[in-house]
Amino acid sequence: MSRVVLHLSDLHFGRIAPALPEALLKAAQQIAPDLVVVSGDLTQRAKIVEFQQAHAFLEQLPYPRLVVPGNHDVPLHNLYARFVHRLSRFQTYISADLEPVYEDPEMAVFGVNTARSSTWKGGRINSRQIEGLRTRLCATSPGVARIVVTHHPFEVPPGFHHRELVGSARAALERWTDCGADLLLCGHLHVGESTTTLQRYSHVGWQAIVVAAGTATSTRGRGAANSFNVIRVEDRQIVDVSKWTWDETAGGFQESSEARFVRTEAGWVRRDDSSGEPVRTAPV
Ligand SMILES: [Fe+2]
Ligand SMILES: [Fe+2]
C-alpha cells in the first residue's frame, strides 16, 4: 500500500508569478494526492488580502490538506498585529489549528508551528512541542509512516549556513530517538532538496529523510525555478521524492528529478543516481 503527498511551500501570495497557481492546480489534478501539505509562508506580508488569495487557492485543491504557518505569515511592520494578533489572520483564513494532524491507516502527519513573533526570519521548536510530538510519535502504530511538517528546516542545502536550521533541532531529534519520524518536511529556503539527517545528526542513533520544498508560486525563487515535491510512501519501506519544476517554455510544471530512499537496517539510504536528470518530459 502506498500514499502520495503533494508537498507545497512558500506560496507567498502577494508576490505571485501570475501563471503559476493555475498551472499548479492543473498538475495537482494529474497527481491526485492523498494529502496536500503546505509547509508555510502562504503570504508575503501577512496581509488580509494575501490570506484571502491563499485561501481561495487552497479551496481549489479538493484533497485533504495540512498547513503550517511560516515567518512571512506573522505581520512584520505593524507591531501591535505582530505581537498581539500574531497568527490570528492565518488562523482565520487558513487553519485555526496551528499544529494540525492528519492520520490514516498508512501515515500519520504532524504539523508544528515554528514561526515566532520574536524573530523575523528564524524559527524554533520549543520543549512543549518536542515533548508533545514525542508522545504522538510513540503512540503511532509501527507500520504507519510518521511525517513531521515544519516551516523552518532540520537540514540546509549546500551553501546555506547552519543558522538557518530550526532552533532546537538537535534537541528535538535527540528526544525523538525512541519513536523517530520517517520524514521531516520543510520549506523556507526556497530550494527543493532531499537528504537524510545522517550526516548532521549521526550521534542520535536514528535518522529521517529531510525533504525541503522550493517556492511553488512566488517570484522569490533566488535563482532556482519554482518547484514542489510529490512524495510517495510505500509500506514505510520505500520513499520516492520527485521534484516538479516550472518550465517556462512548456508553460507547465514537469517532473525534473527523483530520489528514492529505502529503509535498511542502517536506516534510510538513498538509492538513486538520477538526481537532477529529467525523467519525464510531458508538460502538465
Ligand atoms: Fe518563504
Ligand atoms: Fe520563510
Side-chain angles (χ1 to χ4, degrees):
M1 293 286 283
S2 65
R3 288 286 185 269
V4 173
V5 176
L6 174 58
H7 176 201
L8 312 177
S9 200
D10 298 79
L11 304 176
H12 286 293
F13 279 89
R15 281 285 298 272
I16 290 288
L20 268 55
E22 202 175 319
L24 180 49
L25 291 172
K26 212 169 162 186
Q29 206 172 20
Q30 181 184 330
I31 295 157
D34 297 294
L35 176 71
V36 176
V37 163
V38 186
S39 50
D41 277 0
L42 286 93
T43 67
Q44 176 63 16
R45 283 286 175 258
K47 292 178 180 171
I48 288 172
V49 65
E50 295 172 352
F51 278 117
Q52 287 171 330
Q53 291 167 353
H55 171 78
F57 172 77
L58 292 177
E59 284 298 295
Q60 294 177 74
L61 290 164
Y63 315 101
R65 66 174 177 261
L66 182 146
V67 188
V68 296
N71 51 301
H72 278 258
D73 301 320
V74 181
L76 174 62
H77 298 302
N78 182 332
L79 290 183
Y80 180 76
R82 180 166 183 79
F83 288 96
V84 177
H85 293 303
R86 298 177 193 177
L87 286 163
S88 64
R89 289 174 181 171
F90 177 92
Q91 290 179 286
T92 299
Y93 293 100
I94 306 297
S95 168
D97 190 352
L98 296 176
E99 315 244 296
V101 175
Y102 168 88
E103 287 177 291
D104 72 21
E106 294 282 315
M107 62 182 180
V109 188
F110 306 104
V112 182
N113 168 28
T114 58
R116 298 289 185 266
S117 298
S118 53
T119 162
W120 163 229
K121 257 180 79 183
R124 60 185 288 267
I125 181 164
N126 63 31
S127 54
R128 177 190 62 77
Q129 293 170 312
I130 292 171
E131 294 306 319
L133 203 47
R134 184 177 189 279
T135 303
R136 298 208 72 138
L137 288 167
C138 289
T140 303
S141 302
V144 174
R146 299 140 194 220
I147 303 174
V148 174
V149 182
T150 57
H151 178 62
H152 297 84
F154 281 85
E155 183 54 283
V156 292
F160 284 85
H161 198 275
H162 64 78
R163 277 197 297 265
E164 303 277 8
L165 295 169
V166 63
S168 299
R170 190 169 294 267
L173 295 196
E174 285 170 0
R175 275 301 285 163
W176 298 340
T177 296
D178 298 337
C179 315
D182 299 303
L183 277 153
L184 305 172
L185 309 189
C186 59
H188 185 58
L189 297 176
H190 297 192
V191 174
E193 180 108 345
S194 309
T195 184
T196 72
T197 53
L198 181 62
Q199 224 178 347
R200 185 179 298 277
Y201 307 97
S202 56
H203 69 293
V204 299
W206 68 281
Q207 55 174 291
I209 303 161
V210 183
V211 181
T215 171
T217 49
S218 85
T219 56
R220 308 182 76 246
R222 297 175 188 167
N226 291 92
S227 69
F228 60 84
N229 298 319
V230 179
I231 302 165
R232 186 173 155 277
V233 182
E234 188 177 327
D235 292 328
R236 217 188 161 201
Q237 298 298 318
I238 298 171
V239 172
D240 291 322
V241 183
S242 62
K243 184 160 89 169
W244 291 50
T245 53
W246 171 249
D247 185 325
E248 186 73 45
T249 311
F253 284 96
Q254 299 184 6
E255 189 174 0
S256 59
S257 65
E258 181 165 276
R260 166 161 287 195
F261 297 87
V262 178
R263 184 191 292 284
T264 70
E265 284 187 7
W268 288 104
V269 173
R270 187 166 174 161
R271 289 266 168 79
D272 72 283
D273 53 12
S274 63
S275 184
E277 294 298 314
V279 293
R280 185 181 294 172
T281 52
V284 174

